[in-house]
């Protein structure tokens, strides 16, 4: 386990307060929470009848989809960079 101290930060996501503990800075934790809140509000505006649980799952699916697309793009760019070095 990491010896880094854990920061305890209270954030608001979609009207609910959460205490997030992590080794990242409080400003980073607040930024991440803000992005999650923004995405939940965006999805909710397009699907106003979703309950909070379904909204949270759709937000997570969207976030993981974005992550995988960026990871694939990074992998492709790293492969291209290696080919250029050869």
């Amino acid at each position: 386990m990491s010896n880094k101290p854990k920061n305890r930060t209270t954030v608001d996501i979609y009207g609910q307060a959460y205490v997030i503990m992590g080794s990242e800075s409080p400003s980073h934790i607040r930024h991440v929470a803000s992005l999650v809140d923004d995405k939940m509000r965006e999805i909710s505006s397009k699907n106003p009848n979703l309950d909070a649980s379904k909204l949270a799952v759709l937000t997570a699916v969207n976030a993981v989809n974005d992550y995988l697309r960026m990871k694939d793009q990074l992998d492709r760019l790293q492969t291209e960079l290696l080919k250029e070095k050869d």
Side-chain angles (χ1 to χ4, degrees), residues 39 43 55-65:
K39 182 56 92 172
I43 292 170
L55 180 59
V57 169
L58 285 177
T59 300
V61 168
N62 273 263
V64 171
N65 182 57

Side-chain angles (χ1 to χ4, degrees), residues 7-86:
N7 294 309
R8 184 181 179 101
T9 307
T10 302
V11 298
D12 183 81
I13 300 174
Y14 205 67
Q16 293 287 320
Y18 296 91
V19 176
I20 309 281
M21 291 189 62
S23 57
E24 294 82 7
S25 70
S27 64
H28 177 80
I29 293 169
R30 283 191 295 276
H31 179 66
V32 170
S34 175
L35 292 173
V36 171
D37 182 69
D38 290 347
K39 182 56 92 172
M40 286 184 77
R41 291 182 188 285
E42 175 189 331
I43 292 170
S44 178
S45 72
K46 295 174 185 173
N47 303 282
N49 296 326
L50 289 175
D51 63 38
S53 177
K54 288 181 181 175
L55 180 59
V57 169
L58 285 177
T59 300
V61 168
N62 273 263
V64 171
N65 182 57
D66 290 347
Y67 166 78
L68 290 174
R69 280 193 322 213
M70 285 187 239
K71 186 176 180 309
D72 287 345
Q73 184 179 12
L74 176 61
D75 291 345
R76 283 193 304 274
L77 290 171
Q78 287 175 327
T79 300
E80 288 177 25
L81 186 59
L82 287 173
K83 285 179 182 177
E84 287 181 13
K85 286 184 177 182
D86 292 338

